[in-house]
Amino acid sequence: MAAVAVAVSSYCKPSPFLRRFSPKLGKSPCRHSFGRQVQSSRICALFWGTKKSVQRLVLDSSLGDFTLTGSGSEGVAENDGGPKKICLSVISSISEVSANDWDTCALDATGPEKFNPFLTHGFLSSLEETGCAMKETGWTPCHIVVKDECENVLGVVPLYLKSHSYGEFVFDHAWADAYYGYGERYYPKFQCCVPFTPVTGPRILVRNTLIKDQVIDVIISAMKDLTAKSRVSSLHITFPSENEWHKLGEKGFLQRIGMQYHWRNRNYKNFDEFLMDMKQNKRKNIRQERKKISAQNLTMKRLRGHEIKAKDWDSFYWFYRNTTDNKWGSPYLTRDFFHDMGSKMEDQVLLVVAEDGDELVAGALNLIGGDTLFGRLWGCHPRAYYPSLHFEACYYQAIEAAIELSLSTVEAGAQGEHKIQRGYLPVTTYSCHYLLHEDFRKPIESFLVRESTQVNLVMKLLHESGPFKDGIK
């Protein structure tokens, strides 16, 4: 049988791999109608399948009841050491869980020092309520909730039923092409992630109790069972923590790595102190780029919380649209999202803006975590070009803000080798993939091994030729 390319590297130009599939590929589970008995509460979605046949997928809201032993984990003390009963369910909107319950699970999962704003109820609910992550955009919410016998929420998982692979930043389009090339259906699939956000963080958000580890194991098992019973092609967990990545690998998930560029704060007192750690030519280049900002009569400001007005969000939305129109063709986020998210997240939002006189001409959106500044989106006025403004707004202002706020890291988003010479070095990102079709799983697994070798080699070479003086890691 002819070989076929089924994967694309997540960090550089496409790197298809060749592999012969079994000549006796079985029928995809997605070809069968899903006739499982369901409760009155259910989640429905429509997906295009092979030859444009419409499949109606119905998910049972209950994932089952489980009894745990109540031992084997550290954390908050329980009332007694006897067996604990928990129930798992799927909800169709994050609004079905209170913000306090969701955020308590998220904070326990990260710890206060690693607080991740993208995992909060405020951020995720803004995506749903403003029409960004919803069934009509191919992101049907199917979040998992774990409760005990007293209806206390012990854990939550952000999960979506996807009809495409856009907005994920871990690329599997070629995998989908391979499935369709052999008459199989790749979509729908489950995606466990923060939509449109390539930021590492825990994905299985569980309260810090004595049964925490057991709850996590039950959730992983339930997610695999849900994938099989729903007859979708696969389950993908993208940008999990490194610990989750290792655990999910032990549970049968394929492991994948990628690469991003982060800046590390070495206890700098100011920006100039950071520059002194750079090689002379890199230091000179950064200073020249920063001088161009004042030479163009631009004024940079960093706005937080209540300092960001409605008109600022309106302007930033159009800057964002200018970026998406030039690069991707369609925006993921709505104007209302920025207003809603800004209102809910308050001082966790840092908006860097550039002014030319009294006019706002560019902006960069950042969110502030426990020890990290997360750079997310950038845009500028469509009828103007300001040399080096992108570097100033996205990278140098972020570094200054991180130093000022005593944050240890700046995550500058996906891709961009140009970040290296500006002090951002490559770090590893993670994803896990559970594919039901064994004939596709094996060649994809083989590819991921080779891809990982290539990613690690590239990272090693980039570190060796980095922008810092010798001896500075």
Side-chain angles (χ1 to χ4, degrees):
M1 183 173 290
V4 60
V6 300
V8 177
S9 166
S10 63
Y11 63 95
C12 60
K13 62 185 179 181
S15 302
F17 73 89
L18 299 178
R19 180 80 174 187
R20 293 187 179 275
F21 288 87
S22 166
K24 296 183 180 180
L25 283 173
K27 289 186 178 181
S28 166
C30 296
R31 288 183 172 277
H32 300 277
S33 61
F34 184 55
R36 188 180 174 200
Q37 190 71 28
V38 298
Q39 299 177 1
S40 58
S41 175
R42 61 187 185 180
I43 300 170
C44 303
L46 294 178
F47 298 91
W48 289 109
T50 307
K51 297 182 181 180
K52 301 298 183 183
S53 59
V54 177
Q55 179 193 20
R56 184 175 179 84
L57 187 61
V58 183
L59 303 181
D60 192 338
S61 64
S62 175
L63 299 182
D65 299 331
F66 303 86
T67 301
L68 309 182
T69 62
S71 62
S73 299
E74 297 181 355
V76 179
E78 300 294 322
N79 292 330
D80 60 76
K84 312 293 180 184
K85 292 185 178 180
I86 62 172
C87 65
L88 276 68
S89 60
V90 177
I91 59 174
S92 60
S93 171
I94 195 172
S95 64
E96 296 178 46
V97 179
S98 74
N100 181 67
D101 284 338
W102 185 284
D103 290 345
T104 300
C105 292
L107 192 60
D108 274 7
T110 62
E113 70 285 352
K114 294 289 184 180
F115 166 73
N116 188 319
F118 300 100
L119 297 173
T120 63
H121 193 280
F123 187 85
L124 294 169
S125 64
S126 291
L127 289 173
E128 291 186 20
E129 292 168 3
T130 61
C132 303
M134 56 191 300
K135 180 177 69 175
E136 289 76 9
T137 61
W139 290 84
T140 303
C142 301
H143 310 308
I144 294 176
V145 179
V146 184
K147 294 183 179 181
D148 65 14
E149 294 175 279
C150 299
E151 292 292 301
N152 297 311
V153 176
L154 300 181
V156 292
V157 178
L159 184 66
Y160 301 85
L161 190 64
K162 290 292 302 296
S163 59
H164 54 72
S165 291
Y166 298 108
E168 298 171 4
F169 299 93
V170 176
F171 304 111
D172 62 352
H173 297 87
W175 302 1
D177 290 343
Y179 270 67
Y180 282 108
Y182 281 90
E184 304 295 331
R185 182 186 286 112
Y186 190 69
Y187 305 109
K189 64 175 185 174
F190 282 121
Q191 191 78 25
C192 176
C193 68
V194 177
F196 324 115
T197 307
V199 170
T200 295
R203 296 295 176 254
I204 301 173
L205 313 178
V206 175
R207 291 296 313 276
N208 189 24
T209 67
L210 291 173
I211 57 173
K212 176 179 180 178
D213 290 345
Q214 293 181 74
V215 172
I216 291 174
D217 287 342
V218 168
I219 290 174
I220 294 173
S221 178
M223 292 173 72
K224 292 168 66 175
D225 289 344
L226 177 65
T227 302
K229 292 175 181 178
S230 302
R231 304 192 178 185
V232 300
S233 72
S234 49
L235 163 65
H236 307 264
I237 302 177
T238 46
F239 299 98
S241 66
E242 184 178 2
N243 287 340
E244 284 180 325
W245 185 75
H246 286 296
K247 187 175 188 66
L248 289 163
E250 296 170 357
K251 299 292 185 178
F253 283 71
L254 301 183
Q255 294 175 294
R256 191 176 193 182
I257 63 172
M259 184 170 62
Q260 285 183 353
Y261 301 92
H262 298 177
W263 178 84
R264 185 160 65 90
N265 187 355
R266 298 170 178 82
N267 297 317
Y268 298 121
K269 295 181 178 65
N270 51 54
F271 193 88
D272 284 337
E273 196 169 289
F274 150 66
L275 285 183
M276 294 311 297
D277 278 353
M278 304 284 283
K279 294 175 180 177
Q280 192 275 335
N281 62 327
K282 305 301 182 186
R283 182 167 63 246
K284 179 180 178 181
N285 178 70
I286 291 174
R287 284 174 171 161
Q288 288 176 339
E289 288 180 340
R290 302 206 77 182
K291 286 180 180 177
K292 292 179 182 178
I293 303 305
S294 58
Q296 297 173 89
N297 296 316
L298 294 172
T299 301
M300 305 301 302
K301 294 181 179 180
R302 296 195 290 268
L303 308 177
R304 285 187 68 179
H306 70 276
E307 298 174 333
I308 309 171
K309 308 303 181 184
K311 62 182 179 61
D312 298 323
W313 285 126
D314 287 337
S315 296
F316 183 75
Y317 173 71
W318 289 114
F319 299 156
Y320 161 73
R321 284 298 305 269
N322 182 46
T323 299
T324 58
D325 290 348
N326 288 332
K327 287 189 176 182
W328 307 309
S330 63
Y332 296 132
L333 304 173
T334 64
R335 181 204 298 263
D336 288 344
F337 165 77
F338 294 104
H339 288 273
D340 192 65
M341 182 273 300
S343 175
K344 291 178 178 178
M345 306 296 286
E346 298 181 331
D347 281 347
Q348 292 161 3
V349 179
L350 173 67
L351 184 65
V352 176
V353 296
E355 294 179 341
D356 187 349
D358 294 329
E359 183 181 14
L360 217 62
V361 296
L365 175 62
N366 305 266
L367 265 64
I368 301 171
D371 68 348
T372 301
L373 183 67
F374 299 95
R376 281 302 302 120
L377 301 169
W378 143 267
C380 63
H381 197 290
R383 295 190 300 275
Y385 170 68
Y386 298 93
S388 298
L389 179 54
H390 173 255
F391 304 138
E392 176 67 30
C394 295
Y395 310 139
Y396 305 144
Q397 287 290 321
I399 290 173
E400 285 193 342
I403 294 172
E404 180 181 300
L405 297 170
S406 299
L407 300 174
S408 64
T409 306
V410 176
E411 293 194 15
Q415 304 175 341
E417 290 79 3
H418 58 276
K419 298 170 185 173
I420 297 173
Q421 63 179 316
R422 294 169 178 89
Y424 292 73
L425 294 180
V427 299
T428 305
T429 59
Y430 305 94
S431 63
C432 300
H433 309 269
Y434 182 67
L435 286 80
L436 293 178
H437 204 309
E438 193 65 25
D439 289 307
F440 286 96
R441 175 186 171 86
K442 290 180 179 178
I444 290 176
E445 181 177 23
S446 178
F447 163 73
L448 292 180
V449 171
R450 296 195 298 274
E451 182 189 53
S452 295
T453 300
Q454 186 178 1
V455 171
N456 286 323
L457 175 60
V458 168
M459 289 183 61
K460 179 177 182 292
L461 294 173
L462 291 176
H463 274 282
E464 290 175 350
S465 60
F468 292 99
K469 296 175 181 177
D470 292 342
I472 297 177
K473 302 297 184 181

